[in-house]
Amino acid sequence: MSHVVLKFGGSSLGSPAHVQRVVGHVREQATQSPVAVVVSALGGTTDSLLALLDAAQRGDSEAVTDGLEALARDTTQYELPAAVGARLEILRGELRSLLEGVRLLGEVPDGVRDRVLAYGELVASQVVASALSVSGVPAQAVDARTWLLVEGPRGLVELDASFERLRTLQAGWGDCIPVVTGFIAQRRGGGTATLGRNGSDYSATLLAQGLGADQVQIWTDVDGVLSADPKLVDDARPLEQLSYDEALELATFGARVLHRRTMLPLRQDGISLWIRNLDAPDAPGTWITPLGSNDERNATSVTSLEGQILIDLQLQTVSRGGPLAERLHRALDPVVDQLWLATHSAHGQAMSVVVPAQNQQAVLKAITEAFAGELARGELKEPKVHGGVALLTLVAEAMGRTPNVAGRLFSALGSLGINVLAIGQSASARSISCVVRQESLPQAVRRVHDAFHLAHRRASLLVLGKGTVGSAMLTQIHEQAPVLEKEHGLELRVVGLADRRRVVTDSRGLALEDWSALLEGGEQTEGPWGPVTESVLDWLAGLHEPVLVDCTASGALAGLYEAAWSRGIHVVGANKKPLTLPLGTVDRLRAARAEAHRSWSYETTVGAALPVISTLQDLLRTGDRVTRIQGSLSGTLGFLCDALSGGMALDEAVGLAMERGFTEPRPQEDLAGTDAARKALILARELGLRLELCDVQVEPLVPQALLEIEGPQEFLGALGEFGAELRARIELEAKQGRRLRYLATVELEPQPSLVVGPVFVEESHPAFALRGAASLVAFTTRRYPRQPLVVQGPGAGGDVTAAGVLADVLGIALR
């Protein structure tokens, strides 16, 4: 029966309770197959040893003594037999001598660092072997230096010699389970070597290869290999299956759970790897096998590497010393372990490489020496260094058989306005990488993760305003969220809510059952945009698909919009005022939005949920020429005109409109025609007309003197006398077959004009049949010259406007 190798990382060995869980897993596996165990240092020990080395090099004897005592205390929490305690005391004595030597020399000689770091795993193997033996499972600690042999400055493993030594060693284990140190090995000719990052995982797969095992289990503190770095993507999910090749790509491009060398023994001998979580042993974990999932529909993971530099080289002429790429690789091979990306032009005269930032000086020195002649003769431009960059890589086994993967990747980045500095795709087409600015990396990773549906898509909303529209939208989101998640895979979270005084935030999403109470207890802050400060925007920008939703009637939010776009936040607004600010301000807003590659959706600013603006934009985009727009743009005034035509008194009609939420917070704005004028100006500006609000000719529904009365009750009381006069005229016009309507007219020929006011229309007019708060917009165009294209429907009310705002949000989140 083949062995199973169980590897336990330091996080799995951080306390006696953790060690007992390890013992339980080993006991259970040992009932099913022969077992070998590989252990890392007890949690935190390696960091403590590095701190001791630093203190010794500084000559800080007190810190060294304190550190050694702390290490001794760490082991006393484990109930160890006297013989094991004596062995640990010997190890501490050796460690003390090494550190004293470093203190006297003031430096760390070659090989001493590795011998010091070996202490952690030597102790861990003794502790775990002892715990197994005490529990009735015979075990013995094994120093990996007794079998694992490496040579050369890079510590390359001598496989044949190592496996021959392992076979000899194995014969002496008998029925004992070997508990083998990871991370350390013996150098050819003597001395200790360490195997580098994730070295214990590598030694575990080497041990499996040498024992002829068919499975390795790596027990750690995560649920497996994740679809992205959880520090950047909080809903990164564990991947259930990977092929060796996918795992190699992920390991190559920075997946922290894996290392490229870990995969090589598995691939050579067909050994499966199972990554499991010690804290969640029933979780499926990640299986790495020869075939993997072979899913052609979905990408596997998006990885990220920070702290890189991009170096560009460009020859001015044909190189005299051979191909640029070959010479560059040869020059960099001794000074850098990994070229994360290397691309060159088709003619071979230009090349870019990505290397860790800490290697910058060594890399530039190697390039300068290798191309000294070309640089002196001016045949090679000075190397151009782009600092502060990161590498983003999308990995998928079946990527080469699926069309438009690269298109989706770069479309996702382009939608954020992220500049891609370099691109590379693997020959196997299992991965595609690109270089981006480091400050753009968090947003880039989240956007790509969402674009490839590696988890539920998510949108994070900060809602401004709790009035009629804002409160209705919150209710709609609360009711519709489960449907959106189930049917569209979209998690819509209201992460913030603000009014004029307070803001409340929660990245997990606010509980909308009682949002008003949450807001009442929110933080009171004062900034240029009320309680929404720059720090709130910074926080929002760090969340998935951030959207600022403006349900206010404020005219002072232009700066907030610009600040949001500059941070990569979309804006959705039911607020007409930012669109009707002076032309210079609106031009600046549109330029800021375009530069940030973010959305500004404002369909509901004209016609509530009616597709008025989108219809106009479609007409213009398809080459039609609009000559006239006329419509009943105010659902409030439409409701009033219909009520008055039906015989209702003016004050009664206005009061009813206020009750139903049809009016602005100050109803005088509706009757003044200001709201309708703003909507008409928005449409005119969509046509490209360079008009200001003062260019709109506005006739109010009631005399100006009445509009200057403050207070809703006082205003209603003053409408009586004029209402009687208006009713008389309505009755007179009705006898002529005409009805009162409040219309806006945008004329483009013979010259642009914008007129808003009450008119009486004939039965043939599209607005004649309007009822209630219905709105109507009629587009006369080159394609629709005699019978206008009409958009008609409910044009006022909190529910329909809120639905339109929500539709704009979903248009961003589901694209």
Side-chain angles (χ1 to χ4, degrees), residues 345-405:
S345 61
H347 51 73
Q349 296 300 100
M351 188 169 182
S352 298
V353 293
V354 175
V355 297
Q358 65 262 29
N359 296 127
Q360 178 173 338
Q361 290 185 345
V363 168
L364 290 176
K365 182 174 183 290
I367 292 173
T368 302
E369 292 174 353
F371 295 93
E374 284 86 352
L375 287 166
R377 293 188 296 271
E379 296 170 359
L380 177 70
K381 288 185 176 181
E382 286 291 329
K384 185 176 182 180
V385 178
H386 304 270
V389 302
L391 188 70
L392 182 151
T393 302
L394 184 72
V395 176
E397 175 67 32
M399 187 178 295
R401 301 192 297 272
T402 305
N404 198 37
V405 172

Side-chain angles (χ1 to χ4, degrees), residues 116 122 225 238 286 317 335 450 464 637 653 755 759 803:
V116 169
L122 292 169
V225 181
T286 299
T317 183
V335 298
D450 289 346
L464 310 182
L637 289 172
V755 179
V759 296

